[in-house]
């Protein structure tokens, strides 16, 4: 019986004679449709073996069509972030400003003076483009840009501490997320790690005690994604830098977040700023481009000219360099700071600066529009977070749209299947949509997505 049904299934060749599939092969390419036929036939055979009846030919063809359409659809798609987590690493961290996007598009479209000195008519340096703005913004003597902050740390260690020792506090041997573990990055760079102090308390004397001829670097890592409270002590960066310099060593500070604006302005705790690290005496400071800086993914190292020059000459810099599109975007984002328009123009800072009243008004608008579609929703107090491993435990008061549904998990899953997908939070059995992280241009799509799920 089963054998009969299996034998009745058409071959790939005969499926490919179908008009619909021949048209699709014109659009998507022959190979895509043949693959979809094979996969559909395999799946159908399995279903028959599991007791299902052989499908009608039309259904089979439709399955192939759906499979082929899925195969040619990009897997990386825009998502509406209604979680209230501003720098959501899983959702791509910082959305970019209009000017940043325009600059990246222009750089991508044509040729540029990426490594060409237009005045001299000869080869120039790609490092030049972002460096001078970074120097002006932070007061650093020099700067270099690499692929991300993990690469920045790797480059610093490989350049100055390969085959030598780096001293770091046990309290700072952290995992930043996405597999960035400080001890493992250090090992990869060829530097030997010397751990000092205890998890909760490390004094400057702990560093001083282990310095030897083998030591190259004293390192501080900003424990950006967790908060240690209670009986704790860390050596200050000033102490570290002055000890390093006394012993002719370098002091490097891995900051991560890259806040160029004081977060206390918005009722948050103070996130350490790169210019403060320089003022404290650090020779090298590394920050991310796509966290609190609000730009494209990059790692920025600022510091003393001699040290930055050594980084630029290291062969790894070639492997870790950023492309023209990133450089163009980073430059555009940095210019917002220079022009004093970061809060207004950089999306993550507009989100941080949005007041409870503004968010309440946006939530009201969504609730009213849902009411027009006969969907009941209310407005609740909620808390947005910074995310991206910055400012752990710090929240911004927000007003969210709450929808009570029978099965919140199921409803959230359906929201994730709308186009564009919507990612929401669930609290107390309700769907929570925080308008803080929904971009103004996405508000209509958010609304139609919710309505669509109710109609499913
Ligand atoms: C985020 C972070 C990193 C990793 O930065 P990426 O830009 O994600 O590579 C490294 N160190 C610290 C302290 C961080 O916060």
């Amino acid at each position: 019986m089963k054998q009969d049904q299996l034998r009745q299934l058409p071959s790939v060749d005969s499926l490919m004679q179908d008009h619909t599939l021949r048209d699709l092969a014109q659009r998507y390419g022959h190979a895509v449709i043949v693959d979809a036929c094979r996969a559909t036939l395999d799946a159908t055979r399995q279903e028959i073996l599991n007791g299902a009846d052989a499908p009608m030919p039309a259904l089979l063809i439709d399955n192939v069509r759906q499979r082929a359409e899925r195969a040619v659809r990009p897997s990386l798609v825009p998502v509406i972030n209604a979680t209230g987590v501003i720098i959501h690493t899983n959702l791509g961290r910082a959305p970019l400003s209009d000017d940043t996007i325009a600059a990246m598009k222009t750089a991508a479209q044509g040729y540029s003076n990426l490594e060409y000195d237009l005045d001299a008519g000869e080869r120039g340096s790609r490092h030049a483009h972002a460096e001078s703005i970074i120097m002006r913004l932070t007061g650093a003597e020099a700067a270099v840009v690499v692929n991300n902050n993990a690469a920045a740390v790797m480059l610093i260690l490989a350049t100055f501490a390969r085959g030598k020792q780096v001293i770091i506090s046990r309290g700072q041997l952290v995992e930043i997320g996405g597999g960035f573990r400080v001890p493992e990055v250090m090992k990869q760079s060829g530097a030997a790690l010397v751990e000092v102090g205890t998890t909760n308390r490390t004094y400057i004397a702990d560093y001083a005690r282990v310095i030897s001829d083998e030591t190259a670097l004293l390192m501080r890592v900003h424990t950006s994604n967790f908060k240690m409270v209670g009986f704790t002590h860390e050596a200050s960066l000033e102490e570290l830098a002055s000890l390093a310099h006394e012993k002719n060593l370098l002091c490097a500070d891995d900051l991560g977040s890259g806040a160029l604006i004081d977060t206390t302005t918005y009722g948050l705790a103070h996130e350490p700023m790169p210019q403060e690290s320089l003022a404290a005496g650090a020779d090298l400071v590394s920050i991310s481009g796509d966290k609190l800086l609000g730009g494209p993914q990059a790692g920025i190292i600022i510091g003393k000219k001699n040290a930055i020059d050594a980084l630029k000459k290291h062969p790894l810099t070639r492997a870790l360099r950023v492309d023209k599109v990133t450089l163009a975007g980073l430059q555009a984002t940095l210019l917002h700071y220079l022009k004093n328009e970061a809060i207004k123009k950089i999306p993550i800072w507009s989100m941080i600066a949005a007041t409870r009243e503004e968010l309440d008004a946006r939530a009201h608008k969504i609730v009213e529009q849902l009411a027009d579609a006969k969907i009941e929703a209310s407005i609740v107090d909620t808390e947005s977070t910074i995310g991206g491993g910055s400012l752990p435990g710090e929240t911004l008061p927000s007003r969210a749209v709450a929808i009570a549904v029978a099965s919140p998990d199921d409803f959230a899953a359906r929201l994730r299947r709308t186009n564009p997908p919507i990612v929401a939070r669930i609290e107390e059995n309700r769907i929570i949509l925080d308008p803080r992280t929904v971009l103004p241009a996405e508000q209509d799509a958010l609304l139609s997505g919710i309505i669509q799920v109710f109609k499913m």
Side-chain angles (χ1 to χ4, degrees):
M1 184 62 194
K2 263 181 197 163
Q3 290 309 318
D4 283 348
Q5 296 230 3
L6 286 174
R7 231 173 285 121
Q8 273 171 29
L9 284 178
S11 67
V12 172
D13 282 344
S14 65
L15 273 177
M16 290 302 287
Q17 299 306 314
D18 177 86
H19 279 299
T20 317
L21 296 190
R22 273 206 296 215
D23 285 351
L24 278 183
Q26 290 285 336
R27 292 223 310 271
Y28 301 156
H30 188 76
V32 169
I33 310 305
V34 170
D35 276 355
C37 286
R38 285 216 182 91
T40 303
L41 287 173
D42 284 349
T44 308
R45 255 179 232 116
Q46 201 53 55
E47 281 164 20
I48 292 172
L49 290 173
N50 291 340
D53 286 332
M56 304 293 276
L59 185 62
L60 214 50
I61 300 288
D62 201 54
N63 280 347
V64 174
R65 182 187 56 79
Q66 285 184 25
R67 231 175 249 276
E69 272 165 7
R70 242 179 286 138
V72 295
R73 210 180 295 149
S75 69
L76 182 63
V77 295
V79 161
I80 296 178
N81 175 11
T83 64
V85 181
I86 297 173
I87 305 168
H88 200 305
T89 296
N90 299 146
L91 302 183
R93 288 197 184 157
L96 303 175
S97 78
D98 290 343
D99 290 345
T100 302
I101 295 162
M104 292 173 94
K105 182 161 182 262
T106 305
Q109 249 164 357
Y111 298 102
S112 58
N113 61 338
L114 179 67
E115 289 185 358
Y116 189 73
D117 184 332
L118 289 170
D119 288 330
E122 59 191 33
R123 189 176 204 286
S125 164
R126 79 170 57 210
H127 295 308
H129 299 289
E131 184 171 18
S132 58
I133 309 173
I134 297 169
M135 284 160 58
R136 281 188 63 178
L137 289 172
T138 61
E141 289 175 14
V144 63
V145 179
V146 289
N147 185 49
N148 55 21
N149 194 21
V153 173
M154 179 77 124
L155 180 62
I156 291 172
L157 294 171
T159 304
F160 297 107
R162 194 181 172 80
K164 295 193 135 189
Q165 292 180 347
V166 179
I167 307 177
I168 184 167
S169 159
R170 287 201 170 84
Q172 294 167 8
L173 290 175
V174 294
E175 176 171 319
I176 304 292
F180 181 91
R181 285 186 164 177
V182 173
E184 284 164 19
V185 174
M186 291 194 156
K187 202 146 92 204
Q188 282 300 320
S189 70
L193 192 70
V194 179
E195 305 171 23
V196 294
T198 60
T199 303
N200 57 330
R201 292 178 83 86
T202 305
Y203 300 88
I204 192 66
D206 295 324
Y207 294 83
R209 211 173 296 125
V210 297
I211 291 178
S212 72
D213 291 346
E214 300 302 306
T215 312
L217 206 69
L218 304 190
M219 175 116 187
R220 181 181 82 155
V221 176
H222 175 42
T223 53
S224 50
N225 57 358
F226 71 98
K227 201 150 75 175
M228 205 149 64
V229 292
F231 189 58
T232 64
H233 182 81
E234 271 192 344
S236 71
L237 193 58
E238 283 88 350
E239 288 176 313
L240 269 190
S242 72
L243 175 63
H245 298 155
E246 191 184 304
K247 306 279 182 187
N248 258 326
L249 304 170
L250 289 175
C251 171
D253 187 25
D254 178 28
L255 266 193
S257 52
L260 294 180
I261 290 174
D262 187 353
T263 46
T264 59
T265 313
Y266 301 99
L268 297 162
H270 180 67
E271 178 68 14
M273 298 162 79
Q275 48 276 50
E276 295 164 358
S277 300
L278 292 177
D283 300 286
L284 292 161
V285 182
S286 54
I287 59 176
S288 298
D290 54 350
K291 292 184 182 173
L292 281 171
L293 197 79
Q297 180 190 302
I300 303 170
I301 309 171
I302 60 173
K304 302 272 163 62
K305 181 151 192 333
N306 279 350
I308 299 287
D309 282 346
L311 295 177
K312 285 177 183 167
K313 286 195 202 101
H314 194 279
L316 248 190
T317 304
R318 175 65 175 77
L320 303 175
R321 76 181 188 184
V322 287
D323 75 321
K324 59 187 176 187
V325 177
T326 299
L327 270 179
L330 184 61
Q331 194 172 44
T333 300
L334 291 168
L335 282 173
H336 290 313
Y337 291 96
L338 206 58
K339 289 154 74 184
N340 218 1
E341 57 182 25
I343 301 294
K344 210 171 79 203
K345 296 278 182 86
I346 298 177
I348 63 143
W349 281 102
S350 304
M351 289 174 187
I352 291 171
T355 63
R356 189 177 176 279
E357 290 66 39
E358 286 162 8
L359 296 164
D360 186 67
R362 288 179 62 187
H364 263 288
K365 187 152 178 240
I366 297 170
V367 167
E368 277 164 25
Q369 285 170 315
L370 286 173
D372 290 343
K374 309 265 176 296
I375 295 168
E376 203 180 311
S378 56
I379 299 176
V380 296
D381 280 320
T382 190
E383 288 178 339
S384 320
T385 55
I386 303 299
S390 306
L391 294 166
E394 291 290 313
T395 58
L396 295 160
S398 187
R399 295 281 282 167
V401 176
I403 308 175
V405 290
S407 167
D409 286 326
D410 180 55
F411 195 89
R414 285 163 189 254
L415 281 174
R416 293 196 301 271
R417 286 199 296 269
T418 61
N419 179 22
I422 298 165
V423 184
R425 278 200 336 248
I426 298 171
E427 266 171 30
E428 294 168 0
N429 270 322
R430 287 178 306 191
I431 296 288
I432 301 288
L433 303 150
D434 187 338
R436 190 188 293 273
T437 48
V438 177
L439 298 168
E442 295 171 336
Q443 204 129 325
D444 288 346
L446 175 71
L447 203 72
S448 58
I450 300 168
I451 294 170
Q452 194 186 321
V453 169
F454 269 100
K455 284 189 185 146
M456 268 180 193

